[in-house]
Amino acid sequence: MKKYEEIYTDIKNKIINGDYSATAQLPFEKDLCEAYTTSKMTVKRALDLLVDEGLIIKRRGSGTFVKDLSQKEINRITQLNQLNGFTATYDKDGNKVTSKILDFDVIQADDIVMDKLNLKPGSFVYTIYRLRYINDKPVVLEKTAMPIERVPGLEQTHLENSIYHYLKEDLDLTIQSAHRQYTVKKADEDEALQLDIEKDDPVAVTEQITYLDTGETIEYGITKSRADMFIAETIVTK
Amino acid sequence: MKKYEEIYTDIKNKIINGDYSATAQLPFEKDLCEAYTTSKMTVKRALDLLVDEGLIIKRRGSGTFVKDLSQKEINRITQLNQLNGFTATYDKDGNKVTSKILDFDVIQADDIVMDKLNLKPGSFVYTIYRLRYINDKPVVLEKTAMPIERVPGLEQTHLENSIYHYLKEDLDLTIQSAHRQYTVKKADEDEALQLDIEKDDPVAVTEQITYLDTGETIEYGITKSRADMFIAETIVTK
DNA sequence: GAGTGGTCTAGACCACTTC
DNA sequence: AAGTGGTCTAGACCACTCT
């Protein structure tokens, strides 16, 4: 493990365990350099990770402090795992994650998809329409478009499980980032039927563009989530 | 301006202007060091900002590339301004931002507020219940709790405008970060009445804990937004 | 004035990709 | 083998806070 990761992990654990408690002052960077026998830039980097993660704050001239976090908030932060597909997100706690494929086609990208995925006119995309279940309960209705030339050999069996798994393990593609927008709307008749809710019940709409570590777009997706199963979290730092 | 900020801004502008277009390769770090007559760490820092912002990706052994972003996506990203209060967020484009104060009290924090703000039992908090308008249209219903000892002298007049402005200009307090959760629900009767929608219409619920640059909590808020006026955005990087 | 974190350097060495 | 970005150093100097 890299040195700055070791320092980051060590201090993070001390915060979680309460060795550094809420509002406590951390040792000065100078002293951390000695303690970990390392240079200032490396300590700074480790601390900056903790700032981004929302656990500590730094004040020039004063020092570095643990934020005034409740135990619940600490737990929430340390369990935030980002940038996972649906399966990886919900598969953890022994949940049963399944899918029903409602549609699977190859079509020419329409204007919206072309724009979102930055494709050339006439480009073909897979369109995948799936209903995702957690423990046999329908939770998310998902419409996804993927450029066919970037996802060769995609088949029905991959859709029944995790597409992300196929991208990673079989095609050796790496997801680098996702740009997401959340909005809210009333369920239309189809959405209500699929998600087993009433028409006009609230649904959360997540629109997502996903990028590979090559910079290429790989996926444009719109998901409709049952209100009672939706939550999104974010930490915003100045 | 700091050197890494200059480099960051310069390259960002070149991406926005199309001098570096989608999927284009940026000059190597080595060359950027020469071009800006600076050291590697400084160039790296500037580029890492652009990675976090979602504009570029870097691959060791290969180089640095502009993401395959549509023009719309570039615009969206470059206009993302985070960590603002309601007023600053909507005041920009010449919108008229106003508030109706529905309730303003000082009470002992209940268990939830005590926990969220990490307060001691018996602590007193302001509770502020406001309806926020944009161009005279009710948009957000907001319930906020703030510890009284951290916000001395808060008065009704401050609530009618921007509390954040009072914190910053009068109390010289600086917001450092906010931890947010988004969920979705049906409007109850009161929410429907206030937001001028129907009962059971969808509303977006934003729960937020706000921290000062001292690490102290300053605000716990729950806002209910009209579905047609709600949008949240985030960029997730590996 | 003393001490904090922030910026920046010039260079060494490492991990990875590409040829 | 050559070239990329990643990590790390030892130290200089700066900006800010507190006394």
Side-chain angles (χ1 to χ4, degrees):
Chain A
M1 200 195 289
K2 292 153 210 162
K3 210 162 199 174
Y4 74 88
E5 285 177 341
E6 279 177 19
I7 300 170
Y8 157 79
T9 306
D10 190 50
I11 295 178
K12 182 172 172 175
N13 284 337
K14 285 184 175 161
I15 293 172
I16 295 172
N17 299 337
D19 294 346
Y20 298 137
S21 56
T23 72
Q25 180 161 21
L26 293 188
F28 301 127
E29 290 193 356
K30 178 171 60 66
D31 297 329
L32 289 172
C33 289
E34 282 188 22
Y36 294 102
T37 52
T38 190
S39 67
K40 197 178 166 186
M41 288 294 269
T42 303
V43 163
K44 178 175 159 38
R45 176 154 189 192
L47 294 180
D48 283 346
L49 284 178
L50 292 166
V51 171
D52 290 342
E53 198 169 347
L55 288 170
I56 67 171
I57 61 99
K58 305 206 277 184
R59 272 186 297 158
R60 172 154 42 175
S62 307
T64 303
F65 303 83
V66 180
K67 269 161 80 169
D68 195 1
L69 303 158
S70 68
Q71 196 55 47
K72 263 188 203 158
E73 194 63 14
I74 290 177
N75 292 341
R76 236 171 44 73
I77 291 176
T78 55
Q79 281 167 23
L80 274 185
N81 68 322
Q82 307 251 330
L83 197 46
N84 275 323
F86 184 88
T87 308
T89 303
Y90 293 105
D91 210 354
K92 291 179 304 221
D93 313 319
N95 289 313
K96 183 176 157 197
V97 177
T98 50
S99 303
K100 181 162 79 179
I101 297 157
L102 304 173
D103 193 49
F104 179 36
D105 260 322
V106 173
I107 61 163
Q108 279 202 350
D110 62 28
D111 285 352
I112 291 176
V113 170
M114 228 172 63
D115 178 52
K116 298 285 184 185
L117 291 178
N118 216 23
L119 300 175
K120 284 194 282 286
S123 300
F124 284 90
V125 293
Y126 298 107
T127 56
I128 304 150
Y129 190 30
R130 290 190 294 181
L131 181 58
R132 320 295 305 265
Y133 298 82
I134 298 173
N135 300 326
D136 297 319
K137 181 178 173 184
V139 167
V140 170
L141 193 59
E142 176 189 273
K143 227 173 225 167
T144 300
M146 307 181 92
I148 59 166
E149 76 265 25
R150 290 172 195 165
V151 194
L154 186 65
E155 290 171 13
Q156 187 105 1
T157 49
H158 305 128
L159 310 187
E160 282 155 11
N161 302 294
S162 168
I163 298 181
Y164 278 33
H165 184 272
Y166 176 66
L167 295 180
K168 187 178 173 191
E169 302 303 328
D170 295 287
L171 297 180
D172 200 30
L173 298 175
T174 305
I175 304 291
Q176 187 267 346
S177 57
H179 299 201
R180 288 187 195 140
Q181 277 187 49
Y182 303 108
T183 52
V184 175
K185 71 185 275 287
K186 291 182 187 178
D188 64 26
E189 271 183 32
D190 179 50
E191 289 156 3
L193 185 69
Q194 301 288 1
L195 292 172
D196 192 22
I197 55 179
E198 300 296 316
K199 181 169 181 299
D200 294 336
D201 273 359
V203 293
V205 182
T206 305
E207 192 183 319
Q208 168 166 311
I209 304 173
T210 313
Y211 296 85
L212 296 175
D213 69 349
T214 61
E216 294 172 310
T217 56
I218 188 67
E219 178 199 28
Y220 171 63
I222 294 187
T223 63
K224 316 280 169 59
S225 305
R226 281 178 65 116
D228 59 351
M229 295 296 287
F230 175 81
I231 184 166
E233 313 193 65
T234 182
I235 290 176
V236 187
T237 307
K238 204 179 88 178
Chain B
M1 199 194 290
K2 291 152 209 162
K3 210 161 200 174
Y4 75 89
E5 285 176 341
E6 279 178 17
I7 300 170
Y8 157 79
T9 306
D10 190 51
I11 295 178
K12 181 171 171 177
N13 285 336
K14 284 184 175 161
I15 293 172
I16 295 172
N17 299 337
D19 294 346
Y20 298 137
S21 56
T23 72
Q25 180 161 20
L26 293 188
F28 302 126
E29 291 193 356
K30 179 171 60 67
D31 298 328
L32 289 171
C33 290
E34 283 187 22
Y36 294 102
T37 54
T38 188
S39 67
K40 197 177 166 184
M41 287 295 269
T42 303
V43 163
K44 178 175 159 38
R45 176 153 188 193
L47 293 179
D48 283 346
L49 284 178
L50 292 166
V51 171
D52 289 343
E53 198 167 349
L55 288 170
I56 67 171
I57 61 100
K58 305 206 277 185
R59 271 186 299 158
R60 170 150 48 172
S62 306
T64 303
F65 303 83
V66 179
K67 269 161 81 168
D68 195 1
L69 303 159
S70 68
Q71 195 56 49
K72 264 189 205 159
E73 193 63 14
I74 290 177
N75 292 341
R76 235 171 46 71
I77 290 175
T78 55
Q79 282 166 22
L80 274 184
N81 68 324
Q82 308 249 328
L83 197 45
N84 276 322
F86 184 87
T87 308
T89 302
Y90 292 105
D91 209 356
K92 291 179 304 223
D93 313 320
N95 289 313
K96 183 177 157 198
V97 177
T98 50
S99 304
K100 180 161 80 180
I101 298 158
L102 304 174
D103 193 50
F104 180 35
D105 260 321
V106 174
I107 61 163
Q108 280 203 348
D110 63 27
D111 285 352
I112 292 176
V113 170
M114 227 172 64
D115 178 53
K116 298 285 184 185
L117 291 177
N118 217 24
L119 299 176
K120 284 195 282 286
S123 300
F124 283 90
V125 292
Y126 297 108
T127 57
I128 303 150
Y129 189 30
R130 290 189 295 181
L131 181 58
R132 321 295 306 263
Y133 298 81
I134 299 174
N135 300 324
D136 298 319
K137 182 179 172 184
V139 168
V140 170
L141 192 60
E142 178 189 272
K143 226 174 227 169
T144 300
M146 307 181 92
I148 58 166
E149 75 264 24
R150 290 172 196 165
V151 195
L154 186 64
E155 291 171 13
Q156 187 106 358
T157 50
H158 305 127
L159 311 186
E160 281 154 13
N161 302 294
S162 168
I163 297 181
Y164 278 33
H165 185 272
Y166 176 66
L167 296 180
K168 188 178 173 190
E169 302 303 328
D170 295 285
L171 297 181
D172 201 31
L173 298 175
T174 305
I175 304 292
Q176 188 266 348
S177 59
H179 299 202
R180 289 189 193 138
Q181 276 187 50
Y182 303 107
T183 52
V184 176
K185 70 185 277 286
K186 291 182 187 178
D188 63 28
E189 272 182 33
D190 179 52
E191 289 154 3
L193 184 69
Q194 302 287 0
L195 291 171
D196 191 23
I197 54 179
E198 300 296 316
K199 180 169 182 298
D200 294 337
D201 272 359
V203 293
V205 181
T206 305
E207 191 183 319
Q208 168 165 311
I209 303 173
T210 313
Y211 296 85
L212 296 175
D213 70 348
T214 61
E216 294 171 310
T217 55
I218 187 68
E219 177 199 28
Y220 171 63
I222 294 186
T223 64
K224 317 279 170 60
S225 305
R226 279 177 67 114
D228 59 350
M229 295 297 286
F230 175 82
I231 184 166
E233 313 193 67
T234 182
I235 291 176
V236 188
T237 307
K238 202 178 87 176

